Amino acid sequence: MTTGLHPGEAPQDPGPKDDQPLPRQEVGRGSSHDENRTRSSVITARAAASFEPVSRSVATARSFVRDTLQGWGFADIVDDAVVLTSELVTNAVVHAGTSADVLCLRAEDGVRIEVADRYPEREIPLQSSPVNMGSPDREGGRGLQLCAAMAGRWGVEYTPTHKQVWFQLDLPDRPVGTRTAGPSLPADLLPLADGRVRVAVVQIDRAGAINAWNEDAEELFGYAADQVIGKPLTDLAAWPHTPGTSTGVAEALQLSRWEGSYGIRGANGRVTPVYASHLRVRDAAGEPSTVCLLVRDHERAVLQTPNRVPTGDSGGSGEGGQATDPFEVFIGSPAPDDLDGLLQRTVERARDMLDGDSAFLLLATDDETELEVRASTGLPSARQRFARVPVEAGPGRYGSARMPAVHDDLAAVPGAVPLLNGTGMRSVVTVPLKVEGRLTGSLGVAAEAASRYSNEEALRLQFAADRIALAVESARLGELERLRRGSLSFLVEASDLLAGTLDRDQTLALMAQMTIPTLATWCAVYTIADQASDPYLSYVLHEDEDLIDGLKALLSKIPPPEPIPTPGARVWTAPAEAGHRAALHTSMRSLGLGEPATVSSGIGTTLATASAVGGETVVLPLVARNRVIGMLTLGKPTDEHFRQEILELAEDLSRRAALALDNARLYSERVAISQSLQRSLLPPELPDIDGVEVEVIYRAAGEGNEVGGDFYDLFPIRDGAYGFAIGDVCGTGPEAAAVTGLARHALRLLAREGYGGPAVLERLNSAIIDEGARSRFLTLLYGELWPQEDGSAVLKVVCAGHPLPLRLRQDGTVEPAAEPQPLLGVMEDLELYEQTVTLDPGDVLLCVTDGVTERREGTRMLGDDGLTEVLTTCTGLTAGAVAARVMRAVERFASDAPSDDMAILAMRVPGLQRD
């Protein structure tokens, strides 16, 4: 959303231009003379905003118009403007599916609001066509009907790409020089005040920091201006009068207008109760700031807004000139498209109807045993929202839920309405919301004065509640259905993400990231390695990254929650208590009342962490395979609570997350075991052979495999003699790796016992056949190497069914260095022979497995000829360079990943080094 405000600017006429003749429809109650007078009025301020084509934009648009008009001082027409804007923006972003531009224009006699959308496919109506405002039963199209019913003037303007609906709301006429007045009172009934009433004027910038501090503020609180300029007001404020809990003041500073009580910590460390009046304004540059007027709490009459006096024309005139009840206007208007908007409008209308100071609405849970706070006005809603109270029994029972009730003085009946505890409200009237005899909620209006309401007001409120109950229940069921669909979608997506990884750390991160901010404000995951281990704090996440370190430090200092396997969420109070203690100690040290700390993270960080964990914290066990493997901890900021639907969704998520985490643990253990066993099958480091360069490249097929069916080895037999081997077991995986281990260890043992090459392979053949069903065919190239004093090397080679070794001479010729013989593991009586090969200085012997020669790309295969061609280009290269060039050629031959194990053994005789 983008907004702009330019006080005092006279914008261009929003109507069509001379060079752009456009169809225009305009309707109004006033005459043409009135229209001309309105258009010629001086525009003193404008505010504009654009909203994306998503459903939440409707609520944002309502807030934008409400804040703008209240900031301009037009509270009398705010509700009508919000209703009309809501319908027009709904038509744009929901029904037309385009973005919406909202423009508010302030004039001397009223406000003009324009809502434009972009829908190029719309047909432009003929100028002579009658205005069709649609049917009231349709889901969309009711905006024009409301404009006709509520606005003084309105109109519709079309272009090929835009449709703009505008309406004008006139300010009600008031007696000149008077807004409100109180009766004449005897002197002994006037409010008490000190000899001189001091009014502190404090201005707060958009970041919450103080940028103006007058002399009365210095006298009241003991701070000079230069001591507080630039500091956040919340560093001085207490809400209620407790250090470290000033979140309510921070929220109040964001409201367009607010009145209420809190405390200011003075320079002497004491908290002074004050009554405050806040007004949020914008300067000439469009930057928002808040002007705060503060007096001592017992002098609140200086700033407190007088009680509203009902007027006969506040709701407009109906037929016969009869005054219309304000709630009647609301009942006749279309319901908002979301439950929260409907409930909020209901409590605001109820408060105005009974001239109350606050109002609230609670909805019953599915089992009707508890009531949940869903909307309020005039109360600290952020602290009360979604709080629950029992209906029938238990502490804090809501005793007036099922019948209308009037409480003359709550001080005489403490706890009768738990929602109002500590709010200063004295009298209250509550009525039930029922649908077909079933309790669906409760609506209440309260006042700060005692004995404000009688049975007559209760009957009026009950009549209004009966008319709105069905709409509320329908909207609630719709929200519940959307929530259930969203929960299913959330769980499906979560299951897919958790199933997509078997990495433990990534699983922990996914668990936390999926809960923030959908389910909670912060999250911590504790893990338990085994039954004898204590829970360990493994992962911490907060929606504000700046608070993660402080939150992690706080949780590290307190004992972890008890690993109880009982399903469901349970409340954990330790983080909130620890945060409160830390904030209290830090605040006392900052005032010089406590012992100085050697190391301090700063009051700002401590208070922010305390606020982050100050709300409700719940723990859900992570149970997998009948064992608690950890705990999922979810938390809310100060004074916030979890809804039951959110807790149920979190419980479902915890079950899936626990299984995914346990699977990741099991997979990690299996991988560690597998890798350990596979590494045991690989030969140790290759020996250094004087006069011979040796290089080996080994690649096992399959993700996570370090050993497969191919193997190699190079080992000393006796002084001056070395054995080497490269082989390929039929198949891949663990069975092939088992034969690999058998072959490598048997070769070393038999060779060191003095057996020659043929005898070694014949005995290995017998050992493989003795394996029975577990035996595998084996191709093997085995040889013995003797470096010579003249720089050459003598090799005795036996090639049992293996790809023939290739010899590269210095002149670039390539030839096989052995003859093929039968493979191992097939015939019991096997007669093999060895061949002698002499490598001259500069010669290279290349040995590979069939994974190299059988590399395929479609119908093409590298083959022996392709390998020979690659080897001819390696003249003069070292053994390492030869092996690397061959592997690079194999990888480039095909784009797919190799499907077979590959081993390359290159030996080169460099010759004697001469000085």
Side-chain angles (χ1 to χ4, degrees), residues 364 368 391-392 401-403 432-441 462 465-466 469-470 473:
E368 299 182 12
V391 176
E392 299 296 350
R402 298 190 181 276
M403 294 292 292
L433 276 69
K434 294 184 177 181
V435 175
E436 297 179 353
R438 182 171 54 86
L439 178 69
T440 61
Q462 183 67 71
D466 291 341
L470 184 58
E473 179 67 3

Side-chain angles (χ1 to χ4, degrees), residues 66 68-82 111 171-172 174 179 257 308 349 351-352:
R66 181 180 299 278
T68 299
L69 268 59
Q70 286 182 343
W72 289 348
F74 293 163
D76 295 313
I77 60 175
V78 163
D79 291 336
D80 290 344
V82 169
V111 173
L171 294 178
R174 292 194 179 94
R179 287 292 298 277
R257 185 182 295 275
R308 289 177 292 274
R349 290 295 188 178
R351 178 200 61 189
D352 294 341

Side-chain angles (χ1 to χ4, degrees), residues 786 794-797 807 817 834-838:
W786 286 272
V794 176
L795 292 82
K796 293 184 177 180
V797 182
R807 177 181 181 182
E834 62 183 10
Q835 297 172 270
T836 302
V837 180
T838 301

Side-chain angles (χ1 to χ4, degrees), residues 125-337:
L126 297 176
Q127 194 166 9
S128 58
S129 300
V131 179
N132 180 12
M133 295 183 291
S135 168
D137 297 328
R138 293 178 52 195
E139 182 179 2
R142 296 176 297 200
L144 300 184
Q145 288 185 316
L146 285 176
C147 289
M150 302 174 68
R153 279 162 294 277
W154 65 279
V156 184
E157 300 174 5
Y158 288 91
T159 72
T161 59
H162 288 72
K163 173 190 175 185
Q164 176 179 286
V165 180
W166 62 269
F167 59 87
Q168 173 93 19
L169 296 176
D170 298 328
L171 294 178
D173 295 331
R174 292 194 179 94
V176 177
T178 299
R179 287 292 298 277
T180 59
S184 300
L185 294 176
D188 57 346
L189 296 181
L190 296 177
L192 293 175
D194 292 341
R196 176 187 172 189
V197 177
R198 296 186 181 275
V199 180
V201 180
V202 183
Q203 189 157 358
I204 313 299
D205 63 19
R206 68 184 307 164
I210 300 171
N211 58 18
W213 184 269
N214 72 342
E215 294 181 357
D216 281 357
E218 296 182 12
E219 291 293 330
L220 284 174
F221 310 121
Y223 296 105
D226 57 354
Q227 292 180 282
V228 295
I229 296 296
K231 293 185 177 180
L233 178 64
T234 53
D235 284 359
L236 307 179
W239 178 299
H241 309 154
T242 303
T245 54
S246 58
T247 305
V249 177
E251 295 172 348
L253 291 174
Q254 300 303 315
L255 302 177
S256 60
R257 185 182 295 275
W258 184 86
E259 284 185 18
S261 299
Y262 51 87
I264 296 292
R265 285 188 292 272
N268 59 2
R270 296 182 178 179
V271 174
T272 301
V274 297
Y275 188 84
S277 175
H278 297 175
L279 177 65
R280 195 159 173 80
V281 298
R282 295 177 182 174
D283 59 19
E287 289 294 322
S289 62
T290 304
V291 178
C292 305
L293 304 182
L294 310 174
V295 297
R296 296 184 181 92
D297 193 68
H298 65 273
E299 296 171 339
R300 62 167 56 194
V302 176
L303 299 180
Q304 192 170 19
T305 301
N307 292 330
R308 289 177 292 274
V309 178
T311 58
D313 59 351
S314 61
S317 299
E319 294 181 6
Q322 297 294 327
T324 304
D325 189 4
F327 210 84
E328 185 75 20
V329 176
F330 169 70
I331 296 298
S333 64
D337 61 343

